[in-house]
Amino acid sequence: MTTEVRSLREFKMPDVGEGLTEAEILSWYVKPGDTVTDGQVVCEVETAKAAVELPIPFNGVVETLHFPEGATVDVGTVIISIAVAGEAGVAAPAAPAAAPAQAPVPAPAEEPEPERREVLVGYGPRTGGSQRRARRTTTTKVAATRPAPAAAPAPVAAPAPAASAPVAEVPSGERPLAKPPVRKLAKDLGVDLRAVTPTGRDGVITREDVHAHAAAQAAPAAPVAETAVAEPAAPQAPVSGAGDVRVPIKGVRKATAQAMVASAFTAPHVTEFVQVDVTRTMKFVRRLKESGELGRDVRVSPLLIVAKALLTAIKRHPGINAQWDEAAQEIVLKGQVNLGIAAATPRGLIVPNIKDAGSRTLSGLATSLGELVETARQGKTSPADMQGGTITITNVGVFGVDTGTPILNPGEAAILAFGAVRELPWVHKGKVVPRQVTTLALSFDHRLVDGELGSKVLADVAALLERPKRLITWG
């Protein structure tokens, strides 16, 4: 007697973007019992950079969805199990119902995976350091058997855990489970991770655990009887009032916050400003729209001319297109300009970039800019489009804002803010007349961009916008 042998194959959360460690499952497109085929999209996830659809790399029937929608899952964690048909063979005797542990099929982890199509950035066969270390199974047991803390009769009992000995949560000689940023936070706060009680999944220590432990250590050891009669301890978190709404910090918002803090407190920012008469540029934009020279479906805007002006200024002053390498103690002069455009989306601020923008014609740049903006608005920007940027433009003028002091995109040397275009009194040919004027602001990393270089770049952009014909002679 022959029968078809089925085995379970596990699909893990892939690294859909370089350096990402987790992703949130936005929606499942399949359910247990559904048949799936190689390359079929089974779910949509949101990383710290974008929303991405995940295809399954083999055929089979959905057995288990390991996480619900809205769950945040670490890269390398199994998210779905698929029953896969194997070779036909002699059927093994049915195992008794009382012995489900006797699986007739060897563990599929030993089988080599078939060649798959690389349909995602960072997706496909990967080996070595990209895999997360295996979780210790004993950690969960320790957390499960941990006695619950005694209920506090008064708020002053909150510091009590500091006096207890949570060190027993981590066996002697074993390293506590925590991500690198959490370890750095603990080091900065002087917290011994071995003394922290973990609340994360699988016994992982979170940032909140470290902050709570540090707060408990810093709390004064006042007599309980005295403070219980006096006043309650100050809350360690903001108090919510009527009508307050708490929004979890995750996804793009979380990544943006971390990136902005890292940039603001790593790169010494300098911002310079200049007002410029862009009347000729606005006329140039209108002529391009009316003539259709760049293509019938190509969107022409003042931002296009600003982008071309910045790229031209970079050609004249390539030192602005650079990166500071702290580890190697080197300044990296980038070989091509990957121009980032800051875009506000429903998920938050993202900065996709146009690869090798400096080599594009005005028509090619307009096409790429239009595609980039439309893709960002639809929330379909891929992680690859947000990696490798070298310089950025932020168009704050669309919000009616004159200017600002933009924060550098991490790893970049400069960012240009383009303000609102307004009709203002301006001295033109010896007379005060109404002209269309905007304000430009250039922030740059003063470690590798001196004031002279930054000033020359900003002045060149202003000169090009004042007389756009210079794009021909300077380009």
Side-chain angles (χ1 to χ4, degrees), residues 273-292:
F273 308 89
V274 64
Q275 276 192 315
V276 56
D277 178 1
V278 293
T279 305
R280 292 185 178 91
T281 287
M282 300 305 290
K283 291 180 179 178
F284 182 42
V285 170
R286 286 196 295 272
R287 285 199 299 270
L288 288 174
K289 287 181 178 179
E290 293 168 359
S291 67

Side-chain angles (χ1 to χ4, degrees), residues 301-365:
S301 68
L303 178 62
L304 170 63
I305 310 303
V306 173
K308 190 62 177 177
L310 178 59
L311 292 169
T312 302
I314 293 172
K315 284 185 178 179
R316 291 163 57 88
H317 309 286
I320 197 76
N321 190 49
Q323 186 177 41
W324 182 273
D325 189 339
E326 181 67 29
Q329 285 297 289
E330 295 174 339
I331 294 174
V332 182
L333 300 176
K334 310 301 287 187
Q336 64 182 29
V337 182
N338 295 338
L339 180 62
I341 304 295
T345 72
R347 289 190 174 94
L349 175 69
I350 63 173
V351 188
N353 61 78
I354 301 172
K355 300 294 190 290
D356 199 14
S359 65
R360 300 175 188 265
T361 62
L362 187 61
S363 176
L365 185 63

Side-chain angles (χ1 to χ4, degrees), residues 52-96:
V52 180
E53 293 182 329
L54 299 183
I56 200 77
F58 35 77
N59 304 323
V61 178
V62 177
E63 183 77 15
T64 307
L65 304 181
H66 293 277
F67 293 93
E69 294 179 354
T72 299
V73 184
D74 290 340
V75 169
T77 303
V78 176
I79 60 174
I80 183 173
S81 295
I82 305 294
V84 180
E87 297 290 337
V90 179

Side-chain angles (χ1 to χ4, degrees), residues 5-17:
V5 178
R6 286 182 174 270
S7 61
L8 283 181
R9 299 196 63 181
E10 298 175 333
F11 178 62
K12 300 178 180 180
M13 178 69 74
D15 178 6
V16 295

Side-chain angles (χ1 to χ4, degrees), residues 15-27:
D15 178 6
V16 295
E18 184 178 346
L20 298 180
T21 60
E22 62 185 18
E24 177 187 353
I25 298 176
L26 295 180
S27 57

